[in-house]
Amino acid sequence: MWETLVAAIMTAVLTQAGEDAGRAAWGTVRGKLRRRLGKRADLIDSGDPAALEQAVREILEADPDFGARIQALLGIAAPLPLTAPEPAPVTVRLLPAGPSDFVNQVGALALLDEIRGDRAAGATPVVVIRGTPGSGKTALALRWGHKRQDWFGHQLYADVRELRDPVLGGPESPDTIVTAFLLALGVPSGLLPDTAAGRLALYRTRTADEPVLVLLRGAALPAQISPLIPTAPGSVVLVSTHHDVRGLAMDGAHFIDVEPLDDAAARELLAAGSGPGRVDDDPAAVTRLVTLCGRLPLALRIVAGRLRLDSGLTVADLVEELAGESYPLDALALPGTDGSAVDPLFTNVYRHLSEDSRSLYRDLGVAPVAEVPEALLDRIGWSDRRARRAAVDQLLGLKLLERPARDRYAVHPLIRAHGARLATEIDPVRAERVVAGTLDHFCEFAEAADRAIMGERRRLIGGPVRTAGPFTGPDRRARALQALEDSREDLLRVARVGPALGADEQVLRLATAAQALYFNHPHLADQVAMSDLAISAARRLGRPDIEIQIHCTLAGAHGTAGDLDRARAEVRSAFALLPAANDRKLAGTVWEFHARILDRVARAAPEAEQAAARAEAEAAFRTTIDTFREVGLERGVALGHFYYGLFLDAAGRSADAVHQLTQARDGLDAAGDDRNATRADAAIGAAHLRLGHHRQAYDELAVAAAFFAVAELWRYELDVREDLIRAAGALGDQAAVAEHSARAAEIRALSEPGK
């Protein structure tokens, strides 16, 4: 038919003479065609195969006898009815089916639509889809290809992952793919050019007329991709790969990063794969399971499959299994399969890394943190900046590492598990050094933050104080508190590895410094877990003094949370340890917390019992002040007056409260404790407000509000602003009421989740 002869002529004409040994007739065909083209003979060398092909068709249409002679020269045995109508073109659809439970990625699909919108000839977009192994890169490409198949005359697909050069063993050239594509496009195998250049020229000819989608999975090198780019307007090349092909950026390639699913999409995928009703009964366990799977589609499909196949398995069972596994990827396997389905993906990417990148991959895996600051890399052996930069760059390029901030790196939890296993298998000594270095780094970091937040206070344990820490400047307190908040989960992860290393002292240092976070941002579950670790470490080291301190801070946390029984139990434990500690300053601390808990008990007591409860609390406050005064701890005395003043004001004795609070403010000022001195100012203002001294109350409160605003102590500032609104209202100052109301609303907005 026409197509067969035209393909044969184009092959003969476009193949270079020096590459066609055994095809002498091709040179004759080129010569005859050149003469027949006459003035259009330059089309042969113009690099425009579409125009040349059109000219060949016109010649055959005008002179079928010429076509018959060319047919004979090319040795095509079967007669070709040159004048017969051409067959209807074959539409090639090579894309495999995508997953049926595809969810989300709306933004990425829209971006692909937008990229394809530029349909200028010769400007075929190449789109590289990157992401963590198992994140659904190929699923995204297939979903878009099937969704938009009407946009393309042909859809070609090749899985490049297993193609290897037979001699060198590296990634093979694209010739194998070109040949497969030509056969799919209808070129008979007997008419395929003998040379790679000839086959490539014919491929370009066959993909020059109508839009073509080319999807390449697993391409390793830009040189494997560039030759396969079709030129027909509206064509697109999608590359789904775990290799680093950023070199394509020089040719204008687009890069789309496939991120792990958000929580809602992850739950949707889990529900779709596990069957009706399997994940409806335990939303808390579902949330935890999604987190343990790192919101990775492949991992979620595996656990969903396990739920679907085993009706006796619950989501809670899977959570327990994944959370309890020292190597959680072992739990990501379907029944009847050989090992984890996720592990081979990570291993395949790992084996393509440079030696330095492999080492960093293992170190990041064994470091017990989700986010790694630059300073930690120095601490665990990556002080060579050039080697570190190259290794980090490769891991970032392969989406094995993320950069949530300029000086911080995040590791996906399943990648971290894979790296940790490799680290303990390949170099266990180095792995232990990395863990120990991480623990030391976080101790120093938390202690520096603690000093910036809490200033000078009595610390029973700590490392050496650096002259220049990371937190300096007027906003050091706010930055230190935010840094601790950002590292909250990692602080606990690091503390948990301490006992296995015999690092009880570091655990105590970390737990003590972390109190600066818990005092200001209550995280009761974290504080209880950290305190349990610290109490066990203190007992192993024979440090009842630190154990007392931990019990007291726990008492305060439970009291704030409203669990007064648990708070009183913690205080009793602290009192029981005082003889062993033999420390009168600690005795004052225990009495202070005891008094504060009794204050809460008195406020919650039935009216008939309040008098007795208040008397007990008042006696405890006086004992607190006397104990601190006895040992000369003036800041302790001032804090005793402060909490006693708050107690008196709540009990309706505001005039007595002002007296105690004024002593507290003076003592705290003298001790340099600006934060608590300002809290005393605010409490004095509140007491005057209750006494009806509105102008005096307003003046005291305004000073406190200004300090808390600058220090970003919004929890305290909000209470003060609400008192200012009442004071301004009593004074008839509506402008001040509006000002403080607006600021209070702003603080509430800042307190919303995600702000």
Side-chain angles (χ1 to χ4, degrees), residues 213-239:
L213 171 64
V214 178
L215 171 52
L216 302 174
R217 183 180 188 185
L221 299 170
Q224 289 181 304
I225 300 163
S226 299
L228 299 172
I229 301 174
T231 57
S235 295
V236 174
V237 176
L238 292 183
V239 181

Side-chain angles (χ1 to χ4, degrees), residues 64 78 116 263 316 382 394 396 473 476 562 591 600:
R116 195 265 181 179
D263 286 340
W382 288 91
Q394 187 176 31
L396 287 172
R476 61 185 179 277
W591 274 104
R600 292 182 180 276

Side-chain angles (χ1 to χ4, degrees), residues 53-65:
E53 183 176 335
Q54 181 59 33
V56 170
R57 292 179 185 277
E58 292 173 1
I59 291 171
L60 294 176
E61 181 72 30
D63 189 353
D65 290 338

Side-chain angles (χ1 to χ4, degrees), residues 431-498:
E432 186 170 316
R433 284 202 306 268
V434 168
V435 175
T438 303
L439 185 54
D440 287 339
H441 168 82
F442 268 80
C443 283
E444 294 170 8
F445 154 72
E447 287 170 345
D450 173 26
R451 289 191 295 272
I453 296 166
M454 305 298 290
E456 292 304 317
R457 63 179 178 128
R458 190 185 184 207
R459 295 175 173 88
L460 299 178
I461 192 169
V465 178
R466 294 184 176 183
T467 54
F471 304 109
T472 57
D475 63 341
R476 61 185 179 277
R477 184 184 186 281
R479 288 190 295 106
L481 188 54
Q482 187 60 53
L484 283 180
E485 180 65 35
D486 291 342
S487 301
R488 174 173 64 87
E489 294 181 357
D490 281 340
L491 289 171
L492 189 53
R493 288 190 186 98
V494 171
R496 282 174 170 149
V497 304

Side-chain angles (χ1 to χ4, degrees), residues 240-532:
S240 163
T241 184
H242 56 255
H243 293 282
D244 189 354
V245 292
R246 284 177 291 173
L248 286 169
M250 298 176 62
D251 298 323
H254 305 265
F255 291 82
I256 294 179
D257 291 333
V258 180
E259 304 295 344
L261 300 173
D262 60 33
D263 286 340
R267 288 193 294 271
E268 180 185 346
L269 179 58
L270 187 63
S274 58
R278 293 290 279 122
V279 298
D280 295 341
D281 297 335
D282 196 344
V286 169
T287 299
R288 179 63 174 148
L289 182 61
V290 164
T291 300
L292 289 169
C293 289
R295 304 192 306 281
L296 203 64
L298 179 60
L300 290 165
R301 287 192 177 98
I302 293 169
V303 296
R306 292 189 59 188
L307 288 169
R308 187 175 65 252
L309 293 170
D310 185 352
S311 60
L313 187 68
T314 67
V315 175
D317 293 336
L318 280 172
V319 167
E320 183 178 0
E321 185 177 344
L322 277 165
E325 287 279 352
S326 58
Y327 183 52
L329 297 189
D330 288 341
L332 295 176
L334 288 171
T337 60
D338 184 15
S340 168
V342 179
D343 197 312
L345 287 176
F346 295 144
T347 300
N348 190 41
V349 178
Y350 170 82
R351 66 188 179 92
H352 289 100
L353 298 176
S354 69
E355 191 56 45
D356 276 347
S357 295
R358 290 182 186 182
S359 180
L360 180 58
Y361 181 93
R362 297 193 300 269
D363 288 349
L364 294 173
V366 80
V369 292
E371 289 196 3
V372 179
E374 283 274 6
L376 177 56
L377 292 179
D378 278 326
R379 190 58 174 264
I380 62 175
W382 288 91
S383 56
D384 185 333
R385 297 302 177 91
R386 179 176 296 180
R388 181 168 88 193
R389 188 163 48 247
V392 164
D393 180 69
Q394 187 176 31
L395 295 182
L396 287 172
L398 294 172
K399 303 298 289 180
L400 299 173
L401 194 62
E402 300 292 338
R403 180 181 271 156
R406 185 178 61 84
D407 60 347
R408 300 179 74 82
Y409 303 101
V411 187
H412 190 280
L414 298 184
I415 291 178
R416 193 165 68 242
H418 183 254
R421 178 180 67 83
L422 293 175
T424 53
E425 288 178 355
I426 294 172
D427 192 344
V429 174
R430 180 185 177 98
E432 186 170 316
R433 284 202 306 268
V434 168
V435 175
T438 303
L439 185 54
D440 287 339
H441 168 82
F442 268 80
C443 283
E444 294 170 8
F445 154 72
E447 287 170 345
D450 173 26
R451 289 191 295 272
I453 296 166
M454 305 298 290
E456 292 304 317
R457 63 179 178 128
R458 190 185 184 207
R459 295 175 173 88
L460 299 178
I461 192 169
V465 178
R466 294 184 176 183
T467 54
F471 304 109
T472 57
D475 63 341
R476 61 185 179 277
R477 184 184 186 281
R479 288 190 295 106
L481 188 54
Q482 187 60 53
L484 283 180
E485 180 65 35
D486 291 342
S487 301
R488 174 173 64 87
E489 294 181 357
D490 281 340
L491 289 171
L492 189 53
R493 288 190 186 98
V494 171
R496 282 174 170 149
V497 304
L501 295 176
D504 288 325
E505 182 176 339
Q506 286 93 327
V507 172
L508 291 181
R509 288 173 57 193
L510 198 59
T512 300
Q515 300 302 325
L517 170 63
Y518 304 140
F519 283 149
N520 291 280
H521 292 180
H523 296 291
L524 184 57
D526 282 13
Q527 186 174 358
V528 169
M530 182 74 82
S531 298
D532 287 345

Side-chain angles (χ1 to χ4, degrees), residues 547-616:
E547 190 177 348
I548 289 170
Q549 190 178 66
I550 297 296
H551 281 300
C552 286
T553 55
L554 268 181
H558 286 301
T560 300
D563 189 347
L564 298 180
D565 289 339
R566 179 73 184 271
R568 299 190 76 171
E570 295 292 347
V571 169
R572 286 195 295 272
S573 296
F575 271 120
L577 289 164
L578 278 175
N582 192 27
D583 186 327
R584 291 295 294 165
K585 290 180 180 179
L586 269 181
T589 299
V590 178
W591 274 104
E592 176 196 313
F593 277 92
H594 179 48
R596 289 163 61 186
I597 297 302
L598 290 176
D599 178 8
R600 292 182 180 276
V601 171
R603 298 187 197 199
E607 186 175 353
E609 300 174 12
Q610 280 191 356
R614 286 173 180 167
E616 185 181 7

